[in-house]
Amino acid sequence: MTRHFILFALWCLLFLCPIGIVEAQAPLLICPYAGAFEIYDGTCKNYYICVDDGVTLVPVTFTCAATTVFDPALGKCSAGATCRQTTTPPTCTEIGAFEIYDGTCKNYYICVNNGATLMPVILSCAAGAMFNPALGSCEPGRICWQTTTTTTTTTTPTPTTTAAPCVRYGRFPLPDVNCKMYYLCYWDGLRYTIMSNLSCPNTLVFEPVSEKCVPPERYLCPGVVG
């Protein structure tokens, strides 16, 4: 009788008890193009390669050997690479593409909606390109303005407008007679960073109080640059 009970308990543990247990959510793997991309899990060892199966690009996961970590700039495991990941992935507050301040100017993350919440997906620019936070995309031939330390402040020149320093997350107006231009302050994991020269689409104007693009009838644009 005792033996039968033990066998039943083992059977329950293996087949019935796991039902309903919340599993850790796997990272969302997106293939923007064929290549190798890091998995942001705090280890710097896991990555995935996007391969063409004849129909679409499919992510295949790999793990670096014991003495190496994945270098997203090289797109492969390297013994001399430094792990710059933290155990906390970037935080997503809105859909878009944002830089990772790690001194390379190549790594960035996009925030995508998985149906329940916004999730960060870590990507790297292709060889010969750097991430441009103002455009939210990789740009060939761009000069890297990042540093490997957090004590030196660098700025990326903007074409015609100037944004104030960021001290909190939010959207703020830029001098514009049409009240359409604004800049975004967001936390990149190390500091507040500016994504400047953003513009409200179509006929919408930027309303500073709500920090949103609204119809012109909801906000009367002063039309004065001060």
Side-chain angles (χ1 to χ4, degrees):
M1 183 68 178
T2 302
R3 180 167 176 251
H4 290 166
F5 176 78
I6 293 175
L7 290 175
F8 175 78
L10 289 174
W11 179 80
C12 174
L13 180 63
L14 292 174
F15 298 103
L16 293 182
C17 296
I19 297 176
I21 294 177
V22 178
E23 297 181 355
Q25 192 173 29
L28 186 61
L29 307 182
I30 290 181
C31 287
Y33 52 85
F37 307 94
E38 70 177 331
I39 296 177
Y40 205 99
D41 57 3
T43 68
C44 295
K45 299 187 71 66
N46 300 314
Y47 65 101
Y48 65 100
I49 295 179
C50 292
V51 295
D52 193 339
D53 67 353
V55 178
T56 185
L57 291 176
V58 178
V60 182
T61 58
F62 295 89
T63 300
C64 293
T67 58
T68 64
V69 295
F70 183 76
D71 188 335
L74 300 177
K76 63 181 181 180
C77 298
S78 172
T82 301
C83 181
R84 292 190 174 94
Q85 289 187 8
T86 65
T87 54
T88 303
T91 300
C92 284
T93 57
E94 62 181 328
I95 294 176
F98 310 98
E99 69 176 335
I100 295 177
Y101 204 99
D102 58 2
T104 68
C105 294
K106 298 185 70 67
N107 303 317
Y108 65 102
Y109 65 99
I110 60 173
C111 292
V112 296
N113 194 329
N114 66 355
T117 185
L118 292 178
M119 290 186 61
V121 180
I122 309 298
L123 300 173
S124 296
C125 294
M130 301 287 182
F131 183 74
N132 187 338
L135 301 177
S137 61
C138 297
E139 180 182 350
R142 178 177 170 79
I143 298 175
C144 181
W145 296 93
Q146 291 184 4
T147 63
T148 55
T149 63
T150 58
T151 56
T152 302
T153 302
T154 59
T155 56
T156 301
T158 57
T160 57
T161 57
T162 303
C166 286
V167 295
R168 68 173 178 86
Y169 174 84
R171 298 176 179 86
F172 307 95
L174 286 169
D176 177 22
V177 294
N178 298 314
C179 299
K180 297 180 70 67
M181 302 293 294
Y182 66 96
Y183 66 97
L184 170 70
C185 288
Y186 65 95
W187 184 256
D188 67 0
L190 294 175
R191 65 184 70 191
Y192 280 107
T193 304
I194 294 176
M195 182 179 290
S196 190
N197 289 325
L198 302 176
S199 179
C200 293
N202 303 321
T203 60
L204 300 181
V205 295
F206 185 77
E207 202 277 305
V209 176
S210 64
E211 300 182 7
K212 295 180 180 179
C213 294
V214 299
E217 56 268 20
R218 283 186 52 187
Y219 176 67
L220 181 62
C221 178
V224 178
V225 177

